[in-house]
Amino acid sequence: MGVPFADLKLQYQNLKHEILPAIERVLEGAHFILGPEVAALEEEFSAYCRAPHSIGVSNGTSALHLALLAAGIGPGDEVITVPFTFVATTAAVVYSGARPVYVDIDPQTYTMDPAQIEQAITPRTKAILPVHLYGQMADMDPILEIARRHHLVVIEDAAQAHGAEYKGRRAGSIGDLGCFSFYPGKNMGAYGEAGMVVTRHPELARKIRMLRDWGAEKKYEHVLKGYNYRMEGVQGAVLRVKLRYMEEWTEARRAHAIAYNETLAESGLTLPVERAANRHVYHVYALRTPERQPLMDSLSARGVQTGIHYPTPIHLLPAYADLNYRPGDFPVSERVAREELSLPMFPEMTLSQIAEVAEAVLEHQHAYQY
Ligand SMILES: *Cc1c(COP(=O)(O)O)cnc(C)c1O
């Protein structure tokens, strides 16, 4: 039968009766860029994140770029972040003109290891940029404590963590700024490109509102050197529909993860660890095995689609060779990059699809081990 990695076509079929009228409202009103649907989404997303201000932007990368710029980060500055993430995290730092300085990840949760931050701080350090990888928030308390002592800005890359929680607080609401992506494959996906910055600082919110729209508060009065980073009206309307399902979808993802954990407990694979203080939202169900390729091949032969997030840590990508890092600099990131495998995970998965994936994994593991 086979199981897809995700099923966006099925989700659209389920939501079509709400999505089409929402898109029609935008077209009838000709509010193609920003407009009332984006403004309403900003309000609703703020309530969802429990953060006072939300600013709709063109994608997750522009959200990160604007957060960095609003925090005053630029050439000559350093931003402490992780090499084990999607390339956009580093790209945004480079867009700002600052230098990304990496610290390794925690071997259990794959998020920033707070114990390594202080030794990476220099007089040029301006910000810490942790990534809530796979849907689990980084260990924020020690990160915030270090930031406070060294007067650093904290920017959360929450592109994979809509609705995730740390000690009861939502992703995006804990640092100074939180950045979300609504890329179609994310837990909350637009029908195109979209992103959001959330913050509790009104002055940063105001600056980001200007920067996303050519640095102007009033038309043709350009106070700042701005960008065309606006959210489209259609994306605002689509995302408002989807936001109403986020709790249901997130709970479904969490239930699927529990089902995987239970059936794969004796598989010999390293399963995801949800830290006690966290609400993991399972953007990715990531397991680890030193024998990744044979397992991928077996699953593929049975029609079970898998992914690798991510095969190369950023410090070893050719594009960022000029940062002058070397193999061996971040051993945990390098090991996880070699061993990580992502199983199918989407809210609409059925029990029989989960059972089919788990069975295929177990069958391979038994055949391979004995
Ligand atoms: C997807 C993603 C981004 C970038 O978001 P886009 O909307 O694709 O620009 C940034 N950081 C992380 C961790 C991501 O997964």
Side-chain angles (χ1 to χ4, degrees):
M1 299 232 312
V3 182
F5 189 66
D7 198 341
L8 295 180
K9 290 180 186 169
L10 173 62
Q11 191 185 73
Y12 174 61
Q13 288 309 318
N14 293 341
L15 291 184
K16 198 172 177 175
H17 64 288
E18 293 180 70
I19 294 275
L20 289 180
I23 291 177
E24 196 172 16
R25 277 201 308 275
V26 176
L27 303 190
E28 301 272 357
H31 296 297
F32 301 115
I33 311 282
L34 297 175
E37 294 291 331
V38 172
L41 174 71
E42 289 173 341
E43 293 240 326
E44 291 160 10
F45 198 71
S46 270
Y48 180 71
C49 294
R50 305 176 201 139
H53 307 282
S54 292
I55 306 99
V57 297
S58 53
N59 56 60
T61 310
S62 53
L64 286 164
H65 187 191
L66 292 183
L68 289 156
L69 293 177
I73 288 153
D77 296 336
E78 293 177 356
V79 175
I80 295 177
T81 187
V82 287
F84 194 66
T85 171
F86 183 59
V87 68
T89 314
T90 277
V93 175
V94 173
Y95 294 173
S96 78
R99 176 187 165 89
V101 172
Y102 297 130
V103 299
D104 211 346
I105 53 169
D106 169 78
Q108 230 119 62
T109 57
Y110 316 133
T111 55
M112 180 178 277
D113 181 355
Q116 301 190 29
I117 295 173
E118 291 218 75
Q119 64 216 44
I121 294 176
T122 76
R124 291 168 175 250
T125 308
K126 288 286 159 57
I128 308 177
L129 173 43
V131 178
H132 303 324
L133 198 74
Y134 304 148
Q136 168 149 258
M137 288 181 67
D139 191 5
M140 292 304 288
D141 276 350
I143 293 173
L144 291 173
E145 193 273 318
I146 294 165
R148 212 172 296 126
R149 259 190 299 115
H150 295 269
H151 307 290
L152 306 176
V153 174
V154 175
I155 300 173
E156 300 171 57
D157 184 339
Q160 305 187 358
H162 318 70
E165 291 178 11
Y166 175 84
K167 300 187 179 172
R169 298 162 74 192
R170 287 250 155 129
S173 73
I174 297 186
D176 294 291
L177 297 138
C179 302
F180 291 86
S181 166
F182 303 119
Y183 179 79
K186 298 284 158 78
N187 284 20
M188 181 167 154
Y191 287 163
E193 304 265 2
M196 190 79 82
V197 184
V198 307
T199 180
R200 60 200 147 73
H201 303 294
E203 69 285 5
L204 293 182
R206 179 166 166 254
K207 209 164 161 191
I208 291 168
R209 259 177 218 290
M210 291 170 73
L211 287 170
R212 78 169 166 186
D213 195 12
W214 295 117
E217 231 159 22
K218 287 201 201 105
K219 203 164 190 182
Y220 303 129
E221 290 184 24
H222 305 281
V223 182
L224 301 170
K225 293 190 181 74
Y227 298 80
N228 177 358
Y229 278 176
R230 300 166 302 219
M231 187 187 282
E232 293 185 346
V234 163
Q235 308 311 335
V238 166
L239 289 166
R240 288 185 72 200
V241 172
K242 293 208 181 187
L243 184 57
R244 295 200 284 274
Y245 290 89
M246 280 302 288
E247 279 310 293
E248 184 187 316
W249 287 343
T250 299
E251 286 308 314
R253 286 176 183 273
R254 289 176 53 75
H256 301 338
I258 290 169
Y260 274 145
N261 288 344
E262 283 171 357
T263 45
L264 300 178
E266 307 299 321
S267 64
L269 301 163
T270 306
L271 303 182
V273 172
E274 180 179 29
R275 212 186 277 117
N278 277 356
R279 181 197 196 205
H280 193 323
V281 298
Y282 293 98
H283 173 56
V284 169
Y285 184 89
L287 45 78
R288 266 195 308 128
T289 167
E291 307 289 343
R292 173 172 67 190
Q293 195 58 51
L295 175 56
M296 273 190 101
D297 293 344
S298 291
L299 293 176
S300 168
R302 296 181 55 154
V304 173
Q305 291 178 359
T306 57
I308 296 176
H309 301 92
Y310 298 87
T312 311
I314 301 176
H315 70 288
L316 301 181
L317 288 173
Y320 295 100
D322 59 350
L323 296 174
N324 284 315
Y325 287 108
R326 300 270 169 271
D329 282 350
F330 305 102
V332 182
S333 296
E334 291 168 31
R335 176 166 183 201
V336 180
R338 282 193 301 272
E339 298 186 347
E340 192 275 345
L341 182 70
S342 311
L343 295 185
M345 172 56 82
F346 52 98
E348 299 81 4
M349 274 186 99
T350 62
L351 285 176
S352 72
Q353 284 177 311
I354 292 168
E356 185 178 335
V357 175
E359 212 168 280
V361 171
L362 289 173
E363 212 164 90
H364 168 86
Q365 288 297 100
H366 285 127
Y368 207 73
Q369 282 171 351
Y370 307 113

